[in-house]
Amino acid sequence: MSATIHKTIRLTMAQALIRYLSVLRTEDGQPLFGGAFAIFGHGNVAGMGEALYQYKDVFPTFRAHNEQAMAHSAIAYAKAHMRRRMMAVTSSIGPGATNLLTAAALAHVNRLPVLLLPGDVFVSRAPDPVLQQLEDGTDGSVSVNDAFKPLSRYFDRIVYPEQLLTALPRAIAALTDPAACGPVTLSLPQDVQTMAYDYPEAFFAPRTVRFRAVLPVEQELEEAALLLKNAKQPLIVAGGGVLYGQAGAALQAFAERHGIPVAETQAGKSSLPWDHPLQLGAIGVTGSPAANVLAAQADVVLAVGTRLQDFTTGSNSLFAQAQLLSLNVNSFDALKRRGLGLQADATLGLQGLSRLLGSWNSAGQWLDRAQQAAHAWRDTVASITGKREVAGLPYDGEVIGAVQRSAPDSTVRDIVVCAAGTLPAELHKLWRTSTPGGYHMEYGYSCMGYEIAGGLGVKMAKPEAEVIVMVGDGSYLMMNSEIATSVMLDKKLIIVVLDNRGYGCINRLQQACGNASFNNMLPDSAPPIDFALHAQSLGALSEHVADIGELEQAMLRARAASRTYLICIDTDDTRTTEEGGCWWEVAVPEVSTQPGVQAARARYENDRLKQRN
């Protein structure tokens, strides 16, 4: 009996890695990976650089200007694809690698897939210490890449080429797992990248990656259905899991059949069309009055696909009186706040619940109240965003209205991108979209500087959409170099910079906590920054506008433009949308000589009494 001969192919570790990634396909036949962002240095140019060049026709490489930013673009790409497609990111060792750490944390918090491939120091230790190597006098195996371990859903350091045979399938499993989804880091020592190995040819056979849907357990469904049947005033809180689980249709069918109003988290906004009769709008600290008033009156809250962060729950004070039912693919999230957990895919969980609920429907008076509140809030939004002339400087809500009015197709093609500052609150309340994913907010980590890089990733994922990045001057100044990348890659963005000359959001929070304005706003003596001129220097078209009317006209020019277009408008740092919102726990000093802080501390202690521990 002759032994079976397995064909092999001799490749470097880096070549094998890229070849493996290039053959993976989604169920609809698209490449699982859209390619790789790369900034080369001595730790990855010879190994990974050669491999990416060799496979450039089937696995495209994109050059960027900042490692953190290119990882943000990759993460946004995955978010825009509802986690069904993703990208890899490679950097050199040292600062190139550590620049990825913030992005790794962002992806981990938001449960978004990205494959990080930082270079690492020599395993051989022959050139020890190599340029940019961190030396630890107590542990010779430590490198800066160990910092990725708590920030990764799966981490591995490839010290032998053959380790890819086990590491890569595990990496893909983590990246595509509905519950464990998040960043994966494969640390690649630069000498190992170039080492050759006889890999089995079968390892590189084209493979379809399937995304598993977690089935609900019947007993858990029965317990959840019983809880809902006893509810008189139920409320659904829709989180990002509704979008990632592609459960928008199931959510709408469930809400309509059982007469339950819906409120949306930052990650869940766009789960239900903005004008649906049961759509209460945003919930929580950045929420609408319709959603927050009903949340405070609800007796059962069905939280679907949300991790229940403090902006959603008002630091566990908003719906503290309600019984909590959490439908989530992740058991960690499903069991939060001692609620009843139902671990399942959002679509399958809602469909299973609906089957057991049968013809049950919420009380008519509650439903009427919810629909009236939702209608009243839509009227308020129209009033706020409909203003074309304002006295003095406009504020964010009026700017949002002008941006949306400029759309020729009722914003169906628009995707707004944002992350930090005042804008997330205003957009959460006021942005209107009927398209799942039409609202792209990174608010799990609320990372300043994500906006423009994230917009690039969204445009790469959705080239047919009009991607509108709305960003404050503070975030713009933190990270803006991917404007040049968007021009270089011919990925047009519309960037609207709202310039309030400083960190207006935190300045207001500082004063609300009893402090004087300090170290947040630019002094009058600071020279004005010409954001339009700066964007021009990076290759974009741009202009500065004086008011809302000019902004509307500029938006029409931006929509007609063929490349990235930046519009800057001066805004009021003191005004915000007064309607809605709720308490959020920000600790105030227990002891202070300032009367304002003392008064704020007293209010803080009183507000904490509303929390459910």
Side-chain angles (χ1 to χ4, degrees):
M1 184 175 179
S2 61
T4 301
I5 299 175
H6 297 285
K7 291 184 178 180
T8 62
I9 180 170
R10 191 163 182 80
L11 299 169
T12 69
M13 183 271 277
Q15 293 163 359
L17 192 159
I18 300 304
R19 181 165 180 161
Y20 180 88
L21 298 180
S22 71
V23 301
L24 301 177
R25 293 291 182 269
T26 62
E27 291 178 90
D28 59 0
Q30 296 186 82
L32 178 65
F33 283 84
F37 275 102
I39 293 179
F40 293 132
H42 71 90
N44 68 339
V45 67
M48 284 295 294
E50 188 275 342
L52 287 167
Y53 177 80
Q54 184 174 149
Y55 292 100
K56 65 183 185 300
D57 293 335
V58 292
F59 196 86
T61 299
F62 306 100
R63 182 197 180 281
H65 289 86
N66 177 282
E67 289 91 354
Q68 179 182 323
M70 69 181 184
H72 287 170
S73 296
I75 294 164
Y77 179 91
K79 180 177 172 70
H81 277 298
M82 304 305 178
R83 308 196 305 194
R84 274 9 186 226
R85 297 188 68 199
M86 58 202 68
M87 297 190 79
V89 175
T90 180
S91 75
S92 185
I93 67 174
T98 53
N99 279 349
L100 297 176
L101 290 171
T102 295
L106 183 151
H108 195 292
V109 168
N110 287 285
R111 279 61 161 178
L112 292 170
V114 62
L115 178 58
L116 303 175
L117 303 171
D120 207 337
V121 298
F122 280 71
V123 166
S124 70
R125 303 189 190 176
D128 186 62
V130 71
L131 177 67
Q132 300 176 324
Q133 179 175 340
L134 175 78
E135 293 185 274
D136 188 318
T138 63
D139 187 343
S141 68
V142 167
S143 81
V144 297
N145 286 359
D146 288 281
F148 285 99
K149 290 181 177 179
L151 304 177
S152 303
R153 293 290 183 171
Y154 176 76
F155 176 93
D156 204 346
R157 179 175 278 112
I158 309 302
V159 296
Y160 291 100
E162 56 265 42
Q163 287 179 337
L164 287 183
L165 296 171
T166 53
L168 281 174
R170 290 173 181 173
I172 300 304
L175 289 165
T176 58
D177 187 285
C181 182
V184 165
T185 302
L186 297 182
S187 179
L188 308 178
Q190 63 169 295
D191 53 344
V192 182
Q193 291 176 38
T194 65
M195 293 178 183
Y197 180 74
D198 294 320
Y199 291 93
E201 278 194 356
F203 187 61
F204 306 106
R207 183 164 70 87
T208 298
V209 176
R210 306 193 186 282
F211 292 84
R212 298 179 298 281
V214 178
L215 292 167
V217 175
E218 193 68 19
Q219 184 178 355
E220 290 185 359
L221 278 175
E222 292 171 356
E223 293 173 351
L226 181 61
L227 178 60
L228 279 172
K229 281 183 176 180
N230 289 325
K232 301 298 182 185
Q233 300 183 164
L235 172 70
I236 296 171
V237 175
V242 175
L243 295 171
Y244 301 143
Q246 301 180 337
L251 173 68
Q252 183 169 332
F254 184 89
E256 290 173 350
R257 181 180 184 187
H258 303 294
I260 306 178
V262 176
E264 295 173 329
T265 71
Q266 285 279 12
K269 186 176 172 73
S270 74
S271 294
L272 202 64
W274 71 273
D275 56 352
H276 191 281
L278 292 173
Q279 171 65 274
L280 297 174
I283 192 169
V285 178
T286 56
S288 75
N292 286 353
V293 168
L294 267 71
Q297 298 171 352
D299 56 2
V300 172
V301 168
L302 170 56
V304 184
T306 170
R307 62 193 187 94
L308 296 170
Q309 63 118 316
D310 62 344
F311 256 57
T312 298
T313 67
S315 298
N316 297 314
S317 69
L318 180 56
F319 40 86
Q321 79 294 334
Q323 290 182 281
L324 179 63
L325 168 59
S326 287
L327 167 57
N328 206 296
V329 293
N330 193 321
S331 61
F332 180 85
D333 291 321
L335 297 176
K336 283 180 178 174
R337 306 309 304 166
R338 300 190 301 279
L340 179 62
L342 173 56
Q343 187 179 3
D345 168 79
T347 295
L348 297 178
L350 289 170
Q351 290 175 343
L353 275 176
S354 191
R355 170 175 54 83
L356 293 179
L357 289 173
S359 61
W360 175 87
N361 200 283
S362 71
Q365 187 177 11
W366 173 251
L367 184 59
D368 291 343
R369 196 187 322 164
Q371 291 178 325
Q372 290 169 9
H375 181 77
W377 174 239
R378 287 191 290 275
D379 286 346
T380 300
V381 171
S383 175
I384 293 170
T385 59
K387 294 180 180 178
R388 284 180 158 81
E389 296 182 8
V390 296
L393 291 175
Y395 92 104
D396 300 34
E398 293 150 354
V399 172
I400 291 167
V403 169
Q404 293 220 277
R405 280 195 301 274
S406 70
D409 53 3
S410 302
T411 71
V412 170
R413 291 177 60 248
D414 285 358
I415 300 176
V416 69
V417 180
C418 190
T422 303
L423 276 165
E426 300 298 338
L427 287 165
H428 196 200
K429 290 179 183 180
L430 304 176
W431 186 261
R432 295 173 294 185
T433 184
S434 299
T435 306
Y439 180 81
H440 183 111
M441 180 67 65
E442 189 289 292
Y443 210 57
Y445 210 48
S446 188
C447 185
M448 294 179 72
Y450 173 90
E451 295 91 344
I452 294 171
L456 173 62
V458 173
K459 187 67 176 180
M460 294 174 75
K462 302 291 182 181
E464 74 284 357
E466 194 76 85
V467 177
I468 302 172
V469 175
M470 298 192 70
V471 59
D473 56 302
S475 259
Y476 180 95
L477 288 171
M478 282 199 177
M479 194 173 297
N480 52 60
S481 56
E482 303 322 310
I483 290 176
T485 309
S486 74
V487 175
M488 179 176 67
L489 296 180
D490 194 24
K491 302 297 181 184
K492 176 201 162 188
L493 305 174
I494 297 177
I495 303 169
V496 182
V497 178
L498 291 79
D499 184 5
N500 62 19
R501 286 182 61 79
Y503 304 141
C505 174
I506 295 302
N507 188 58
R508 290 191 303 276
L509 177 60
Q510 184 177 55
Q511 293 176 82
C513 293
N515 285 298
S517 178
F518 174 65
N519 197 47
N520 281 312
M521 306 305 291
L522 295 174
D524 293 337
S525 59
I529 298 169
D530 192 331
F531 293 100
L533 190 59
H534 178 265
Q536 285 181 36
S537 74
L538 295 175
L541 302 170
S542 65
E543 59 182 296
H544 185 283
V545 297
D547 54 35
I548 292 297
E550 288 190 12
L551 174 60
E552 284 192 65
Q553 294 304 309
M555 280 297 303
L556 296 178
R557 290 188 287 273
R559 289 180 183 277
S562 60
R563 71 175 190 265
T564 293
Y565 200 113
L566 180 140
I567 306 167
C568 181
I569 184 169
D570 296 334
T571 57
D572 190 335
D573 69 287
T574 63
R575 292 174 58 204
T576 59
T577 298
E578 296 179 358
E579 293 84 354
C582 68
W583 177 72
W584 173 45
E585 183 170 8
V586 176
V588 179
E590 190 170 2
V591 176
S592 175
T593 59
Q594 300 183 71
V597 176
Q598 294 169 2
R601 176 70 191 194
R603 293 192 299 271
Y604 168 67
E605 291 179 352
N606 182 66
D607 288 335
R608 289 181 68 193
L609 299 175
K610 305 171 188 175
Q611 286 179 301
R612 180 167 69 181
N613 295 321

